[in-house]
Amino acid sequence: MAQLYIIHEGRRETVAIGQELTIGRSYSNRLRLEGADVSRAHAVIHRRGEEYHLYDLDSRNGVRVNGKHAKKYLLKPGDQVLIGKYLMIFDPPNPETLDPVSDEPAPSKEESGKNTTQPQAPYFYFPVSDLEAGFTMSPSDARGNQDVASEDLCFAYRLFDSFGTSSQFRDVSAKALDVARTVMLVQSGAVILRDKPDSEPEAAAVFDEERKGQVNILASHIRCLLDEGRAFLFSGCDAMESDGGLETRDADVQQKEWTNRVAVPMFIHGAMGGFIYLENTRPNAEYTLDDVRRLYLIGMALARKLEQGERFEQA
């Protein structure tokens, strides 16, 4: 089966095309791309027998194939498709030779002598409003209409009910972290909570597979989650030096191995009250957008349960 290799901001992903692959910014697409230069329904690849046809769906910024604009195109192995800032290579004959770090075209002879900068770490950010936009109805409306709510939202409310009647925030947070461990690969993770916007965040539940009893979260991650209200994905190798962030136990952080991270913020009584953070270090176990959405649903169920406890009781 033909595959599409996507390279973007240092991250490489492989997608099986199947009979049809829809591409665009909308969550309804099989291949969802981020960015203002990507239309909601941007392009589609159709399989006809042994052939694969690419069609531009009247997108605003068009599709380039091997550097030229194309409205429709019969794809051949190795063809390079550019949509927004995403470089996609159709069924390359030698995928192991692809550069997994850079999605920029090779420099010309004139540019080869110039200094180049390293690509930024492959972070992907998702405002909570974008995540909620992917549901067929609002989470609040779905509670009383589970017969027509999406499967995802029904999952969230089944999860809410499974947390039981405990009002202890640590017990409920630990249950939410256990659920995350059952639905995705987690080697370490934490539920972080804060009482008020100006209070210090603290760990309500921590899991560490190696039993070191610690999870280290950068201050930049905390700002992204608590101050900006954005979820994020990361996959890659980086030198992760401590920047004064949250350490569930004192430790020096010098992490240069492959790391996958995913985290989502939680709104409690309408305020940013915490987040769930997960990571693993397996190169073949990258978190995906589906994992972001799944973790958001777990966080949403946890937030609703925490609202019923004494710690987050409204004044």
Side-chain angles (χ1 to χ4, degrees), residues 28-86:
S28 62
N29 292 288
R30 279 191 56 212
L31 176 57
R32 183 176 182 271
L33 308 180
E34 295 281 341
D37 46 1
V38 179
S39 298
R40 292 181 62 82
H42 200 110
V44 64
I45 299 176
H46 285 296
R47 179 182 178 182
R48 295 181 180 176
E50 297 302 314
E51 296 181 343
Y52 290 83
H53 296 259
L54 169 69
Y55 297 92
D56 179 1
L57 300 176
D58 294 324
S59 63
R60 183 172 57 182
N61 294 300
V63 177
R64 287 181 176 270
V65 180
N66 301 325
K68 298 181 179 179
H69 280 289
K71 293 294 290 183
K72 57 182 179 179
Y73 192 89
L74 175 60
L75 293 169
K76 302 177 294 297
D79 279 339
Q80 297 187 12
V81 179
L82 188 66
I83 294 179
K85 296 180 180 180
Y86 292 79

Side-chain angles (χ1 to χ4, degrees), residues 60-315:
R60 183 172 57 182
N61 294 300
V63 177
R64 287 181 176 270
V65 180
N66 301 325
K68 298 181 179 179
H69 280 289
K71 293 294 290 183
K72 57 182 179 179
Y73 192 89
L74 175 60
L75 293 169
K76 302 177 294 297
D79 279 339
Q80 297 187 12
V81 179
L82 188 66
I83 294 179
K85 296 180 180 180
Y86 292 79
L87 174 63
M88 292 167 279
I89 303 175
F90 172 75
D91 220 18
N94 299 300
E96 64 276 3
T97 65
L98 293 178
D99 179 7
V101 175
S102 176
D103 55 353
E104 294 296 326
S108 64
K109 292 181 179 180
E110 293 77 10
E111 296 175 326
S112 59
K114 299 180 181 179
N115 292 330
T116 57
T117 58
Q118 289 294 105
Q120 295 181 344
Y123 278 93
F124 293 83
Y125 298 99
F126 308 91
V128 169
S129 58
D130 285 357
L131 296 176
E132 291 186 342
F135 298 128
T136 55
M137 63 192 309
S138 72
S140 58
D141 291 340
R143 181 56 170 171
N145 298 276
Q146 292 193 40
D147 55 332
V148 295
S150 69
E151 182 178 345
D152 283 344
L153 290 175
C154 288
F155 162 77
Y157 284 112
R158 287 195 301 270
L159 178 59
F160 173 88
D161 294 334
S162 74
F163 286 156
T165 59
S166 175
S167 60
Q168 297 297 316
F169 71 92
R170 294 190 186 278
D171 292 342
V172 179
S173 298
K175 288 181 180 180
L177 198 54
D178 286 341
V179 171
R181 291 168 51 201
T182 64
V183 297
M184 60 187 83
L185 177 63
V186 180
Q187 290 178 307
S188 59
V191 175
I192 307 299
L193 300 176
R194 66 178 181 184
D195 297 325
K196 300 176 182 178
D198 57 349
S199 61
E200 289 295 319
E202 64 173 295
V206 177
F207 169 75
D208 178 45
E209 191 176 75
E210 297 182 358
R211 299 188 181 278
K212 295 179 181 178
Q214 63 186 39
V215 177
N216 305 287
I217 306 172
L218 295 179
S220 57
H221 293 160
I222 296 174
R223 287 193 297 271
C224 170
L225 292 157
L226 294 183
D227 296 341
E228 301 171 15
R230 296 192 296 169
F232 69 79
L233 274 177
F234 172 89
S235 291
C237 298
D238 66 342
M240 182 175 160
E241 304 293 340
S242 177
D243 65 351
L246 181 66
E247 298 179 359
T248 60
R249 198 178 75 182
D250 291 339
D252 293 328
V253 185
Q254 292 186 344
Q255 183 172 321
K256 297 185 180 180
E257 60 185 349
W258 185 280
T259 306
N260 305 304
R261 304 185 190 101
V262 61
V264 297
M266 294 187 297
F267 286 90
I268 302 174
H269 289 309
M272 200 66 67
F275 60 86
I276 306 179
Y277 175 94
L278 308 176
E279 65 179 39
N280 72 68
T281 57
R282 298 183 185 178
N284 61 345
E286 297 179 353
Y287 294 120
T288 66
L289 177 58
D290 285 340
D291 290 320
V292 177
R293 288 169 54 78
R294 193 174 293 115
L295 192 59
Y296 170 73
L297 290 166
I298 295 172
M300 184 179 71
L302 174 58
R304 299 295 82 77
K305 183 61 69 172
L306 290 171
E307 288 175 349
Q308 297 181 350
E310 294 180 359
R311 175 170 179 169
F312 292 93
E313 186 177 8
Q314 283 185 308

